[in-house]
Amino acid sequence: MLTICGNTVARRVVVLLFLILLVVQQAWSQDREQRRSTLLQQRIAERTAAAKMKHSSVQVTASEADSLVLVTLYNFSGGASWFDNTGWLQAPVSQWHGIALNSNGRVMSIDLGDNGLSGLLPTPLGTLEELEELDLSFNDLSFSIPASVANLTVLRELILWGNKLSGAIPPELGQMPALEKLSLFDNQLTGSIPPELGNISTLKKLYLDFNQLEGTIPAELANITGLVELFVDGNNFMGELPLELTTFPSLISLYAGFNQLTGTIPIELASMPTLQNLSLEGNQYTGAIPSGLTQGPGLTKIYLANNRLTGEIPEGFGSMFFLTTLDLEGNELTGSPPPDLGSSPHLRLLNLSNNQLTGEVARLPRSLDELHLRGNQLTGDFASFIGALTWLRKIDIRGNAFTGTLENMYGHQRLVEVRLSDNKLTGSFMPHRRAMYYLEILDLAKNKFDEMTDLTEWAFLDTVDVSENQLDFRDLVPSAGLADNGFFVYAPQDSLPTQVRRADSEVVFSVTDSADGNEYRWFRNGEVISGADSISIRVDASESVARYYCEVTNDALPNLTLVSTIKTTDATPTRSTPVPEGRVQITVGKNYPNPFGISTTIPFSLVEPGPVRVVVYDLLGREVLALTEKMLSAGEHLVRLDAASLSQGVYTYVISAGTVQIGHSMVVSR
């Protein structure tokens, strides 16, 4: 190991911090875009499935002028290629698919959603004087929205979402005197929101989400006093949320997420009398979560994820009677989850992932359907809070430091996703398959599990990761059938223990893994021992000191090789033989962290002073790194291992003190 001057160390620290920041930003960006895409697909599904008012067409002769407008629409939007063009241009207009006439023979409804329309919206649509509903959603229409639609003075619903409409929103739409629903969601509209939209006094639902709109959100929208739903998320709006928007007297849903809004979370949101659903996620909000937000009288869903919020999570969310969703993922929140969360009567989704939370998790709401705590620094006994959460379907606590076992989870029959990797969980995973029958995803990687049940009969499992535990082929081979489907990750695993039995004339080394199909290869000082292909080998007790270990493979799981711990002969035939003079007693701990990428620390202690040598060996028993070789005093010691010269893989470090040699395996992972 090299001694590096202070300036060089400082430069490396700066570079390392920069790289960590870059990785964190990239991960945040990927999480944000993934969440944005998921939300878009959910919203498309919801609005596609939403019940729509259907009109019965009166059997009268259609107005000639209206008929010509419909023919124009047919020609301009590829009518011959529509999914359903029943009756068009052939039967009476009252029998044309998607058209409803009133008693005057005028078109009152056009409902051609999800019907394969393409091309553009013709300007003459604005002459349909008695049109009340225009629904052309979820098609492939392009170009701009004609300003002429503002002439539809009795139109109540203008539904154009899910197309490829571009250009600006016509400010003329603000002149429509009867419009109640304006849905332009999921297009390619640009420019700003026309403040003239604030003049539509009849408007109840405004959907402008998932376009390419920019600028600031106009305060004039607050003039629409009867507005119930406002969706402007998924655009490029900047600046602060206008405080005027917090004065809506009847607003139920305010979605302004996935923009570039700045500032702090407005405390005035808590005083909105009818607000139930609030989404400001995916912006650039800073500062603390205002404690007053917990006083919102009817808040049901709160989405503040993927901002830059700091400080502790305020107490009070647990007393919000109507709260079902609290999503604070991807911020910079600190402290422990507030214990009053456990008092929440109806909380279904709690997402605190990817923050900087520490400490233990106290009682959580029994009503939880989803629990997400991934990527924090939380500690404590897993069993202490999981046992009561019997309604859980999804749990994700990856990347924390939880300890304990899983037995308290076995009765949770609704579980679909279990993600527990990269913690300090121990013991076994041995539930009966019917106890967790609907499980689809099981992630137990990077823990210390040492026993696992057969998973092949679990009907719905499609993703399993149990790598980097202490499982052997006896645990894994029964589930080998999962590997054929490509979703079973089982390698690597920690090393097998090597058992040693001494007699007067021989030493017997053996491993404990006796699964059917195992193949054994024993090594002496890194060289294969010819013919040593069984679960144990016998060595003459008087031979010179040598290092022994075993490699175990099994064709059923070809990606895994288990390497046993290294043991040595020392020409000592029985345990009762006195300790030779000068032999130093030593205790060696496990290195931490493990696995590691840059460096790790090896702890050990000496009962009395003596010479100590610390060496690293590869899987072939070859010495690859000598860490130290010197006289050390009695007491606790730490040796730092710099992995810069080591490639990714499994290694063994051996500490020699006098004639005692003790080794443990470690994993370099990058």
Side-chain angles (χ1 to χ4, degrees), residues 49-189:
K52 297 191 298 182
M53 180 176 62
K54 298 297 181 181
H55 295 276
S56 298
S57 184
V58 178
Q59 300 299 311
V60 296
T61 302
S63 157
E64 181 178 356
D66 285 5
S67 299
L68 291 175
V69 173
L70 294 178
V71 171
T72 302
L73 174 62
Y74 182 88
N75 291 330
F76 274 73
S77 61
S81 301
W82 291 355
F83 301 150
D84 188 346
N85 55 13
T86 302
W88 279 75
L89 310 186
Q90 303 295 326
V93 174
S94 61
Q95 299 177 22
W96 291 7
H97 169 73
I99 302 300
L101 305 179
N102 60 22
S103 59
N104 298 323
R106 303 299 302 273
V107 176
M108 67 175 181
S109 173
I110 300 176
D111 184 358
L112 296 172
D114 194 14
N115 200 42
L117 279 69
S118 60
L120 55 80
L121 292 173
T123 300
L125 280 174
T127 65
L128 298 174
E129 298 175 349
E130 298 185 27
L131 187 65
E132 299 178 17
E133 176 188 338
L134 177 59
D135 185 350
L136 303 178
S137 61
F138 213 26
N139 284 293
D140 200 28
L141 297 168
S142 54
F143 302 97
S144 60
I145 301 171
S148 63
V149 298
N151 298 327
L152 302 173
T153 56
V154 298
L155 191 70
R156 293 182 296 102
E157 296 190 0
L158 177 57
I159 306 172
L160 301 175
W161 69 266
N163 285 283
K164 296 179 181 177
L165 298 171
S166 58
I169 299 172
E172 291 84 356
L173 298 184
Q175 305 168 10
M176 303 182 75
L179 197 62
E180 297 178 1
K181 181 177 181 179
L182 176 58
S183 180
L184 306 180
F185 153 69
D186 191 25
N187 278 285
Q188 300 171 12
L189 300 172

Side-chain angles (χ1 to χ4, degrees), residues 7-25 597-599 640 642 670:
N7 290 338
T8 303
V9 171
R11 285 196 296 270
R12 287 191 175 183
V13 169
V14 171
V15 171
L16 178 59
L17 290 175
F18 174 77
L19 292 175
I20 292 174
L21 178 61
L22 181 62
V23 170
V24 170
Q25 289 177 334
I598 299 173
S599 65
R640 181 178 178 275
D642 186 340
R670 295 190 177 92

Side-chain angles (χ1 to χ4, degrees), residues 194-209:
E196 289 84 354
L197 294 186
N199 298 329
I200 311 177
S201 60
T202 55
L203 201 61
K204 292 181 173 59
K205 298 180 179 181
L206 179 57
Y207 304 124
L208 304 178
D209 39 332

Side-chain angles (χ1 to χ4, degrees), residues 622-650:
R622 297 174 299 196
E623 181 178 315
V624 295
L625 199 60
L627 300 182
T628 188
E629 187 170 4
K630 57 185 176 181
M631 292 290 297
L632 293 176
S633 61
E636 303 290 332
H637 297 274
L638 297 174
V639 173
R640 181 178 178 275
L641 187 156
D642 186 340
S645 63
L646 301 180
S647 58
Q648 184 168 294
V650 180

